[in-house]
Amino acid sequence: MLTTARVLSTRLLQVIIVALVVMIGTSLLVRLVPGDAARTILGDKASPGALDALRQTLGLDRPIAEQIFISIGRLVQGDLGTSFNFRGQTVTSLIVPALLVTACLAALAILLSLLVGIPLGLGLALVRSSGADLLGRLSLTVLVALPSFMAGLILLYLVSIRLRIAPAGGWAGSWPSNFGYIWLPAVALSLYLGPLIARTVRQAALETIQQPFVEAARARGVSRHRVIICHVLPNAALPVIPLVGFNAGVMVSGAVTVEAIFALPGLGAQLVQAMGTRDFPIVQGIALLTAVSVVVFNLLADLLNLSVDPRLRSR
Amino acid sequence: MTAEVTTKLDDEAVRRPLTPRRVELLVGLTLIAAVVLACLVVPLINKTDPNALVAAPLQPPSGAHPFGTDQVGRDVFIRVFTAGRVDLTLAALGVIVPLFLGTVIGTIVGASRRRAVDVVTMRLTDGIIAFPFVVLVLVVVLIVGADTQIPPLPAGGASILVAVWVVNWTIYARIARARTHVLREEDFVAAGRLLGFSRRRIVMRHLLPSVWPATATYAVSDALLLVALIAGLPFLGAGIQPPTPEWGSIMYEGRAVLTQAWWISLTTAGVVLVLGTGVMLTVDSLIANPRRVRIP
Amino acid sequence: MRVTTRVSGLILTACAMLAITSCESQPTASSAPKEKLAIGVEIIPTTLDPGQTYQRTAASILQLTGGKLTTPDPDGKGVGMGLAESVTPSDTHYIVKLKPGLKFSDGSELTSQDVIASFEYFIADKTNGLGYSYEAIKNLTAVDDLTVDFELKHPSTALMFYMSQPQSAILPSESIASRGKQLYEGVPIPTAGQFQVESMSQDQITLQANPNYAGTQPSTKTVVFKKIVDPAARLAQLQGGQIDFADTISPKQVGQLSDPVKVDSYSTPIGAYHLSLNTRANSILSDVRIRRAIADAIDRKQINEVAYAGLSEPALGIFGGSSKFYEPFLSENADVAGAQKLLADTKCESECSLKIIAPSDNDALGDTAIVVQQNLKAIGINAEVAKTEAATLNKWSADGNFDIRVGGVYDVGDFPDGYLAFSLLSEYGASYTGYSSPEMDKLIGEVGSTSGAAQTAATHSLNAVFENDLPVVPTVGFTIVSASRVPADVFKVNANTFYSVG
């Protein structure tokens, strides 16, 4: 059976392996992409002399294997390198602000999904009219089928342009004004995870209600309210933990496209720009950071699951 | 690239006609069939060239152009269903290969008693799953690129498939492994070994057939996720680029003129949504749906 | 139960917070002169070195901070005085006399020492991609504290124009001496322009009015340039009020603009959008007859209507409609019959296939590609359109892996040298066409080193050669479409592509 220590050590090993795989993988792949960083940075009007000089500065004239080796060596020392495009700025200084934006977006989306999804799922399981349940389930199904970017587009159109109660994309650069810019994209992103959570909670709640202990509790005289909140809800909400952990990767992909639509200066925008300018250090940095974040998130979800669900603990 | 965690599979002991589950299944399959058929049939009946400029740009839906015209003056109706062929083909191809590959690998790994095999494979799959899929797709798409064209796929299609194949088999492998772990404790497996069947035979003839339903169910929802991914790529400057008709590239082009011409993006989205709803209903009907019981 | 109350309390507070902050961030439109402006652009400078900044919006931003000897006229047709009081050209010398009492933004004096140190730095800097601007300079000497003598290799009318460009911003000689190659790293060096750089990040750059500026102080004290890569997002933010001006929007979105948002479009003083045809030996289009057929088959009016919302105009010659060197010879409408006749006896007589490539981030160019595709269909040429991002596009172009590339060339003043260098000079690849004509190269050199009647004669011959060779096919004028919610005297883009802040 699983112990906390075992989970921890497995996950830590995982982080290291993932980091190495991602590092080597991106270094290799990105350098296989056609197109030259120097030409892209300097643009159409660059003279051949300027191009060569820049290539030398960026170290692009050395063999691929050597370039990869150098970047891995630096990584071990905690140095993610300096950007090609933004000369003189470290990758870390460029990525961290973008990472914060994406992290906030994802965190807010997950929070919204939980706040709305769990009560909604529970409510649907308990509602007496099966017609309402059907309608609810159908709406959830449609929402889960709706890709995040389409949700973003529709919301942008309806809420920002038509109703004018949210800014049409952008970023304030300082809290708390940033809330005004992030809530609509977060809603768009949560329109996938929220319904997903609601469906899972509804299913788990229905299964829990069938358990004999629920009937037993009622027979003992526990109020309906208390049975729902203290007995059904905890069991119904349990599957949500691994569900959210599993979907961390999906949320990142969704966040990237939603950011593109709302013009948020997050990792997505930065990644696309870095790919376009062949800014290898930034691409590597983002790939590494996202991969490690996903693994760490999964670790946290696993630990939470372990601590909350007594059935999983070793005897 | 996951949907929900699958709960238990129902072994359909009781067959009753027209239970809500069956209705769900029927409706879901009908919706899917409607979209697939439309994509097959419409371009055959309606001979308009999806790339030709047939009318003034940004015309609203009318009799002549049921979905209106787009920003250069092409007929959106024919484009949407021509695009459907591309998306559906890519999604199908993108699912089938990982499905087979992943299921077989996962079953073999799950059946193996050797811990080393299990650990190595699991860490490898974890590494691949954790790899930011969007980054991988963007990079592979750029390498294999807009250059290579494997007919009848449009330019860019091959690269999406490569990226998807490399990553997606891992999920199926995980599902298969989990299911195999459960199944290998069953009596029929023990019986098989007692009877002297080779490991290979047990895996192939006994375990695999019982593992398929789990992975195949996931494959259906995976296809939908794939359609969503492919359609989202043009917004990141990758994927099937305009002017090749593809649901995502049509929506992307329509996005800029959303306020003036909602029909370009939204009719396409409607079709995708119908397909998506059909898929979700189908998947739901295949997964156990507990009876509604009131708390007394 | 207490749990639920607490949770619902939290939810209510969160909602209230969100509601308040989002209401707070809704700016109202105002037409009064503004203290602070927000401008949305596609690209902001990634470095303060103008010698490395070729992209239009980035260069225009740096133009606001640099102090230059001359200033470009808003219509791009000439230059006026800037830091210089007078510039007296005489055959091979430019005598530049500075205005007295000039200061940098930190208060230090601006003298001829700074001018000489700056130009010597520009010439010596090998990574300066705009180094061709100073090609005519042979030597610089200080006559006195306020006068510099530029000794030239040959007469050059263009030099006065290049002096007015962002890359010729005068720098403090102390900074050059102390920082050397790290000139643009770290804290921004003092400048002599209308604005100075207050802060710069990867998403925006903030300019503050320079109190020591020699010219008139702007009423807008702070200008923030925000990087918004996607044109649709830029327009959305303009309509929502987060920014006051969106530089470059997709022409087809013009239809959705409503008060107070207005269109602001202009054509550059010289330049046109064009199709670069691959003239390399192994390409179908090495045959000049097919190139001429393509030039005739294109429906320029349709391109203007579909891709530019009618805001541009057909370009019927190489220089573009606003230039004084423009000589129209092509037709506005498609001449299908004439084009087909030209195809007789060529590889494309019955049917052939061509590959059109276009950038994926520019809607208008992409739409042009589609119209061209349809126009070519009418004369029996099957063309496929491939849109891709800049790096791949450039690689394909360098490899000759295309037949037609949709693009354009412009310059910010009606001085043909730079424009011709990038569009037709073989040394720079002639707009990716691989075109190499010694006669054309010679004429380009002549145009660059003569003036007056001699220059007019040279450009006339050049136009004739161009009409014959057609390595690029002009489509429509180089029009940039932007949108604004402030009046033109507060902020606008001039025809010379630079910004003017009121």
Side-chain angles (χ1 to χ4, degrees):
Chain A
M1 279 269 87
L2 299 162
T3 62
T4 320
R6 195 146 151 210
V7 169
L8 254 176
S9 59
T10 314
R11 289 291 183 197
L12 274 173
L13 186 64
Q14 201 181 6
V15 171
I16 298 175
I17 295 181
V18 164
L20 267 174
V21 168
V22 169
M23 207 51 188
I24 300 180
T26 30
S27 309
L28 207 64
L29 282 175
V30 164
R31 281 170 175 78
L32 286 177
V33 178
D36 167 30
R39 161 70 68 168
T40 319
I41 293 170
L42 295 183
D44 295 353
K45 295 189 179 177
S47 63
L51 287 171
D52 282 333
L54 185 57
R55 277 190 207 112
Q56 208 175 30
T57 317
L58 299 176
L60 287 173
D61 49 350
R62 298 194 212 149
I64 290 185
E66 192 181 331
Q67 292 182 42
I68 295 180
F69 198 65
I70 294 176
S71 31
I72 294 185
R74 284 212 206 101
L75 173 71
V76 171
Q77 297 171 337
D79 172 18
L80 285 172
T82 40
S83 157
F84 283 176
N85 198 19
F86 300 94
R87 240 71 57 67
Q89 290 186 273
T90 60
V91 169
T92 325
S93 68
L94 289 169
I95 289 185
V96 165
L99 177 65
L100 285 176
V101 173
T102 307
C104 286
L105 177 63
L108 195 55
I110 293 177
L111 188 67
L112 283 173
S113 309
L114 290 170
L115 285 178
V116 176
I118 297 180
L120 187 60
L122 192 59
L124 277 179
L126 296 171
V127 78
R128 288 167 212 264
S129 141
S130 56
D133 176 47
L134 188 63
L135 192 62
R137 270 184 43 214
L138 221 59
S139 319
L140 291 179
T141 305
V142 173
L143 282 176
V144 172
L146 179 70
S148 286
F149 69 90
M150 275 310 309
L153 275 180
I154 295 172
L155 283 179
L156 180 71
Y157 178 58
L158 289 175
V159 177
S160 297
I161 298 179
R162 287 282 139 164
L163 294 177
R164 306 195 69 120
I165 57 177
W171 193 243
S174 63
W175 299 91
S177 350
N178 281 333
F179 270 124
Y181 291 90
I182 208 176
W183 73 268
L184 192 58
V187 169
L189 201 53
S190 68
L191 282 182
Y192 172 73
L193 190 60
L196 209 58
I197 290 178
R199 282 154 52 100
T200 307
V201 167
R202 176 188 167 280
Q203 191 151 317
L206 284 175
E207 281 173 13
T208 310
I209 292 172
Q210 287 178 10
Q211 301 276 338
F213 76 85
V214 170
E215 195 175 342
R218 282 297 278 148
R220 282 203 310 272
V222 181
S223 76
R224 192 160 184 278
H225 238 122
R226 218 184 144 86
V227 167
I228 295 174
I229 303 284
C230 302
H231 292 98
V232 177
L233 179 57
N235 284 291
L238 256 189
V240 172
I241 300 175
L243 179 67
V244 173
F246 233 0
N247 278 289
V250 178
M251 294 302 275
V252 169
S253 302
V256 165
T257 29
V258 167
E259 278 172 12
I261 289 174
F262 286 90
L264 297 177
L267 286 180
Q270 198 168 46
L271 179 63
V272 171
Q273 182 198 50
M275 287 296 322
T277 52
R278 304 292 189 266
D279 200 343
F280 305 145
I282 293 197
V283 176
Q284 272 166 225
I286 293 180
L288 194 61
L289 232 52
T290 1
V292 168
S293 310
V294 169
V295 172
V296 167
F297 194 77
N298 269 294
L299 165 66
L300 292 174
D302 271 350
L303 285 178
L304 187 62
N305 210 14
L306 265 183
S307 64
V308 163
D309 189 353
R311 295 175 294 185
L312 292 176
R313 287 189 212 129
S314 64
R315 284 166 219 116
Chain B
M1 293 271 304
T2 57
E4 325 171 37
V5 175
T6 6
T7 50
K8 56 185 182 200
L9 287 181
D10 193 0
D11 290 292
E12 271 230 87
V14 183
R15 286 180 189 278
R16 263 184 285 164
L18 273 192
T19 58
R21 271 187 66 202
R22 297 213 129 222
V23 171
E24 203 175 8
L25 182 63
L26 280 173
V27 172
L29 288 176
T30 313
L31 289 177
I32 298 179
V35 172
V36 173
L37 276 175
C39 293
L40 282 174
V41 164
V42 165
L44 289 175
I45 302 181
N46 184 335
K47 289 296 185 188
T48 321
D49 179 359
N51 290 317
L53 311 185
V54 294
L58 304 178
Q59 297 295 304
S62 63
H65 305 286
F67 283 179
T69 63
D70 67 7
Q71 74 280 4
V72 287
R74 295 172 297 204
D75 179 55
V76 178
F77 186 72
I78 190 71
R79 280 182 73 77
V80 168
F81 292 107
T82 313
R85 293 178 165 198
V86 173
D87 283 280
L88 291 174
T89 317
L90 280 177
L93 288 175
V95 161
I96 286 180
V97 169
L99 171 64
F100 275 92
L101 204 60
T103 309
V104 170
I105 293 179
T107 313
I108 294 177
V109 168
S112 155
R113 294 274 169 193
R114 258 173 286 169
R115 202 176 139 62
V117 171
D118 192 55
V119 167
V120 166
T121 324
M122 279 305 104
R123 294 291 80 80
L124 177 64
T125 55
D126 283 344
I128 294 179
I129 292 179
F131 199 104
F133 187 72
V134 178
V135 175
L136 183 64
V137 172
L138 281 180
V139 171
V140 173
V141 159
L142 282 174
I143 297 178
V144 177
D147 256 294
T148 46
Q149 198 167 343
I150 303 178
L153 291 173
S159 39
I160 297 177
L161 282 181
V162 169
V164 169
W165 286 344
V166 165
V167 171
N168 243 8
W169 66 269
T170 52
I171 315 267
Y172 295 99
R174 282 195 137 185
I175 297 177
R177 171 182 168 275
R179 186 96 178 107
T180 311
H181 273 172
V182 169
L183 284 173
R184 73 181 180 190
E185 309 299 335
E186 294 286 329
D187 292 338
F188 72 88
V189 173
R193 264 200 267 120
L194 277 175
L195 285 171
F197 289 153
S198 70
R199 297 273 319 284
R200 195 163 153 267
R201 184 164 170 176
I202 295 181
V203 167
M204 291 295 166
R205 297 286 232 62
H206 298 103
L207 284 172
L208 264 184
S210 302
V211 171
W212 281 123
T215 49
T217 312
Y218 179 71
V220 182
S221 53
D222 194 29
L224 178 63
L225 283 170
L226 209 52
V227 169
L229 173 84
I230 296 174
L233 284 177
F235 290 86
L236 300 171
I240 315 273
Q241 288 294 310
T244 311
E246 185 267 315
W247 281 334
S249 76
I250 298 178
M251 286 194 270
Y252 175 68
E253 288 194 308
R255 195 219 34 178
V257 288
L258 200 54
T259 27
Q260 301 146 271
W262 57 266
W263 48 90
I264 305 174
S265 290
L266 295 189
T267 50
T268 318
V271 172
V272 176
L273 210 49
V274 168
L275 178 70
T277 311
V279 167
M280 293 309 303
L281 286 175
T282 310
V283 171
D284 280 351
S285 69
L286 294 174
I287 295 177
N289 226 338
R291 289 184 305 129
R292 295 182 53 79
V293 172
R294 282 184 47 192
I295 297 181
Chain C
M1 290 352 98
R2 263 175 241 130
V3 174
T4 18
T5 335
R6 217 177 288 155
V7 168
S8 21
L10 259 170
I11 299 176
L12 278 171
T13 328
C15 290
M17 208 166 53
L18 287 175
I20 292 173
T21 48
S22 47
C23 286
E24 206 182 274
S25 57
Q26 284 297 305
T28 48
S30 132
S31 52
K34 308 193 79 169
E35 273 280 313
K36 180 170 171 176
L37 279 178
I39 316 290
V41 292
E42 184 193 6
I43 295 182
I44 59 172
T46 54
T47 161
L48 288 177
D49 182 358
Q52 305 270 13
T53 307
Y54 313 95
Q55 196 277 338
R56 179 181 59 85
T57 51
S60 302
I61 294 172
L62 291 182
Q63 178 74 340
L64 289 171
T65 58
K68 298 156 286 282
L69 296 173
T70 51
T71 52
D73 285 343
D75 61 4
K77 302 241 184 256
V79 287
M81 292 300 118
L83 296 175
E85 194 177 72
S86 67
V87 175
T88 323
S90 76
D91 219 30
T92 47
H93 285 262
Y94 269 27
I95 313 292
V96 175
K97 195 155 186 306
L98 293 171
K99 291 180 178 146
L102 292 172
K103 289 200 175 64
F104 284 106
S105 51
D106 66 349
S108 59
E109 278 189 2
L110 196 159
T111 63
S112 44
Q113 296 310 315
D114 302 300
V115 173
I116 294 181
S118 302
F119 276 89
E120 285 180 346
Y121 176 78
F122 303 149
I123 297 171
D125 183 9
K126 287 292 161 247
T127 61
N128 185 344
L130 296 164
Y132 64 83
S133 317
Y134 315 108
E135 170 273 328
I137 300 178
K138 189 153 122 194
N139 201 15
L140 296 130
T141 30
V143 173
D144 58 48
D145 263 355
L146 290 180
T147 319
V148 179
D149 180 357
F150 284 72
E151 192 188 335
L152 308 177
K153 296 177 199 154
H154 57 76
S156 166
T157 36
L159 181 58
M160 230 167 69
F161 164 67
Y162 289 128
M163 281 176 178
S164 69
Q165 299 299 297
Q167 66 266 26
S168 306
I170 305 297
L171 315 164
S173 50
E174 301 90 57
S175 304
I176 299 177
S178 61
R179 293 204 193 186
K181 281 207 158 57
Q182 274 82 39
L183 189 58
Y184 293 103
E185 290 173 33
V187 176
I189 54 178
T191 58
Q194 196 184 24
F195 287 88
Q196 50 185 333
V197 177
E198 186 201 298
S199 67
M200 188 167 120
S201 74
Q202 53 172 324
D203 298 309
Q204 64 183 45
I205 178 171
T206 308
L207 303 184
Q208 273 291 109
N210 176 6
N212 288 313
Y213 178 53
T216 38
Q217 282 288 320
S219 32
T220 306
K221 295 296 173 206
T222 313
V223 186
V224 179
F225 288 91
K226 294 187 172 179
K227 181 167 97 173
I228 307 171
V229 175
D230 181 58
R234 234 176 287 142
L235 182 60
Q237 290 202 35
L238 177 68
Q239 289 169 314
Q242 284 93 60
I243 57 177
D244 302 295
F245 189 93
D247 185 319
T248 311
I249 61 168
S250 183
K252 65 189 171 214
Q253 294 183 297
V254 160
Q256 58 179 272
L257 299 182
S258 58
D259 268 346
V261 177
K262 279 187 279 293
V263 170
D264 175 26
S265 79
Y266 67 93
S267 296
T268 55
I270 194 172
Y273 290 109
H274 61 215
L275 310 173
S276 297
L277 307 179
N278 186 358
T279 61
R280 295 174 180 80
N282 57 351
S283 142
I284 297 183
L285 296 180
S286 54
D287 184 343
V288 69
R289 292 170 299 175
I290 308 182
R291 301 205 293 269
R292 290 197 197 120
I294 292 178
D296 284 345
I298 307 263
D299 188 340
R300 292 172 177 80
K301 262 178 119 172
Q302 190 184 20
I303 292 179
N304 188 18
E305 289 303 320
V306 170
Y308 292 94
L311 291 168
S312 181
E313 47 179 40
L316 312 175
I318 178 68
F319 287 102
S322 8
S323 166
K324 64 175 185 271
F325 304 102
Y326 177 59
E327 282 175 37
F329 65 94
L330 294 162
S331 129
E332 267 188 2
N333 300 305
D335 179 12
V336 173
Q340 269 169 334
K341 248 190 271 173
L342 283 168
L343 286 179
D345 262 351
T346 66
K347 279 196 207 141
C348 288
E349 184 173 3
S350 40
E351 241 193 50
C352 65
S353 293
L354 296 179
K355 179 174 171 184
I356 305 179
I357 64 178
S360 55
D361 56 2
N362 187 319
D363 283 338
L365 291 180
D367 292 344
T368 305
I370 293 175
V371 176
V372 168
Q373 180 192 42
Q374 298 301 309
N375 294 154
L376 292 181
K377 204 151 170 218
I379 60 170
I381 298 183
N382 290 322
E384 54 149 309
V385 175
K387 285 165 61 160
T388 180
E389 37 88 58
T392 313
L393 202 68
N394 291 332
K395 173 152 204 303
W396 283 351
S397 307
D399 293 345
N401 183 0
F402 74 102
D403 294 302
I404 302 178
R405 173 174 168 156
V406 186
V409 182
Y410 72 96
D411 211 345
V412 301
D414 197 6
F415 296 86
D417 328 35
Y419 174 71
L420 287 172
F422 288 113
S423 44
L424 296 174
L425 192 63
S426 60
E427 189 186 326
Y428 283 140
S431 292
Y432 312 107
T433 58
Y435 172 65
S436 178
S437 151
E439 192 186 358
M440 177 63 84
D441 288 346
K442 180 165 148 290
L443 282 168
I444 293 178
E446 253 183 65
V447 169
S449 54
T450 54
S451 59
Q455 190 184 45
T456 316
T459 37
H460 185 68
S461 314
L462 192 148
N463 270 314
V465 174
F466 174 76
E467 190 176 332
N468 208 39
D469 291 349
L470 278 177
V472 303
V473 173
T475 50
V476 296
F478 205 98
T479 306
I480 311 238
V481 180
S482 306
S484 169
R485 63 189 307 136
V486 294
D489 53 5
V490 173
F491 185 90
K492 73 189 283 271
V493 190
N494 299 318
N496 64 15
T497 77
F498 296 127
Y499 300 127
S500 117
V501 183

